[in-house]
Amino acid sequence: MTSLKQEIDRRRTFAIIAHPDAGKTTLTEKLLLFGGAIQMAGMVKAKGDRRRARSDWMKVEQERGISVASSVMTFDYAGHTFNLLDTPGHEDFSEDTYRTLSAVDSAIMVLDAAKGIESQTLKLFEVCRMRDIPIITFINKLDRDGQDPFDLLDEVENRLALDVVPASWPIGMGRDFKGCYDLFNDTLVLFDRSKGEELLASIECSGLDDPKLDQLLPADQLAKLREDVEMIRGVYPAFNHQSYLEGHMTPVFFGSAVNNFGVRELLQGIGKYAPSPRPTKTLQREITPDENKVTAFVFKIQANMDPKHRDRIAFARICSGKFKKGMKLLHVRHGKQLVIHNPLMFFAQDRETVEEAFAGDIIGIPNHGNMRIGDALTEGETLTFTGIPSFAPELLQRARADDPLKAKHLSAALEQLAEEGVARIFKPSIDPNWIVGVVGSLQFDVLMDRIRSEYNIPVKFEQVEVYAARWVSCDDPAEMKKFVDTMGSAVANDHDGDPVFLARNSWHLNDTKDKFPKIQFSATK
Ligand code: GDP
């Protein structure tokens, strides 16, 4: 029997961060192939009918070629259990991505060899840096002509202020791409275009002077490889595991995801170097993963994943202990005991009820709307998880049902979506319609589509004269009452009933702040 510590030690919970089109989906697919989680490539972003039939709002995704739903994929490979948390790449959905990053221990940063670091890579990297998430870099698409590998390393080093260490080194590029030399293990992995995705065994070498290499590589490319590696060993520091774990250094792998090249080495690298579940901070104390008692927090809610079931799943990261099916946990926010009858885990496209799960794992908890992002589950302790980001809604519009008789239904739908965390909603004191606030404009399209397909309510979003929403609070109830009475029509309530000030423009906001110095205005809740 394996001990709790052994179970935890073999877990790797990670996400892939990338600018759209760098190859995140392709890499995910190939990683799952290694885990035997899927039989055939092409299933993650299934072009097939099954996925299409799932939910109409995914049409938004198909039409725009982006991935808007994020999920969890668990698979085993070479003695490790990997939990890969998928993150939507489009910037309008970065809110979801940021929350997902609060639930991982490490990240893979995928770069397109031709494009290097792009805008979204930079943003996501900043989030990883804030959380000290260690990063392994995968430079993708070596089968195409791209930038010089030294330039790519320089770019990572300079723009991200990270120490870089090549873990492998490409031999040629584009049409001349012959494979990679694994610098950590002194092995040669050859690339054979004609073999498609089939993997070639890596060839052990005694070093770069190994005479085998002369037979395996063209003389000019071998000479270049030797020269490059001499330079690498002179210029870059040796790999320092501690420095990687602290987020100061990134090992860099090269490959071609679509050709399944370099993916095995990357996965082995994650197994070998990426951290097992790390401690989690709460307001009260730090939780260590091998504590006996179970603690977990909800970082994502997804409703209506399957329209047939009208279900709602809270994704919870287990932070400590061994979770068992049927366990009774304290839902801290409600102060109530909750029996988790059917905890789910996700294996590629399938979800299964699981008997047990360990720190580092993500379980899905089906529920009827009582769980929220940030909720804590414990065996009795009161804990408040910190660092699950909340974003200020920057774009605000009024939601109106095409059919006025459906206003009530629309209200219910919006409240559910707000609980899911996809939008903020505000009910102004004098307007029967909800004002909806989002971070990126594409979210309005998704909302419109989801409300139409999942709740069968045709809905429109209209411009409103609201520039910003600010949650208001005050220690002095009399002052708060005065504020609400004076500001009247500019005061709304969010779906929890908490007061929010809706400013018409920046002058209105500043003027009101000046008039009510005792009131606190907050852009996030
Ligand atoms: P995502 O937006 O980051 O999820 O990117 P995708 O995985 O969807 O890939 C974007 C495009 O790049 C697709 O057309 C892929 O087929 C292509 N692609 C992915 N990996 C490679 C690669 O190694 N080489 C080449 N030439 N194309 C690739």
Side-chain angles (χ1 to χ4, degrees), residues 16-30 45 47 65-67 86-87 89-90 110 112 138-145 193 255-261:
I16 301 178
I17 60 169
H19 190 87
D21 247 24
K24 189 190 62 172
T25 312
T26 312
L27 180 62
T28 301
E29 232 165 65
K30 305 299 175 186
K45 212 182 215 173
K47 309 279 189 280
I66 52 165
S67 152
D86 191 23
T87 53
H90 193 282
V110 180
D112 181 324
F138 182 75
I139 298 188
N140 190 26
K141 308 196 186 182
L142 266 291
D143 59 315
R144 276 201 202 151
D145 286 323
R193 219 175 270 270
S256 169
V258 80
N259 290 297
N260 203 10
F261 186 85

Side-chain angles (χ1 to χ4, degrees), residues 372 414-416 418-420 423-427 434 493-498 525:
R372 299 242 175 114
L414 286 170
E415 283 178 69
Q416 277 199 7
E419 270 162 29
E420 210 182 296
R424 308 278 180 276
I425 58 170
F426 311 106
K427 183 63 122 340
W434 288 93
N493 291 305
D494 71 5
H495 73 284
D496 293 321
D498 292 330
K525 193 159 150 172

Side-chain angles (χ1 to χ4, degrees), residues 483 487 501 503 506-517 519 521:
F483 175 80
M487 299 318 292
F501 173 61
S506 63
W507 177 84
H508 188 207
L509 180 59
N510 290 328
D511 183 58
T512 310
K513 279 185 183 170
D514 289 347
K515 281 190 183 133
F516 293 92
I519 302 276
F521 295 80

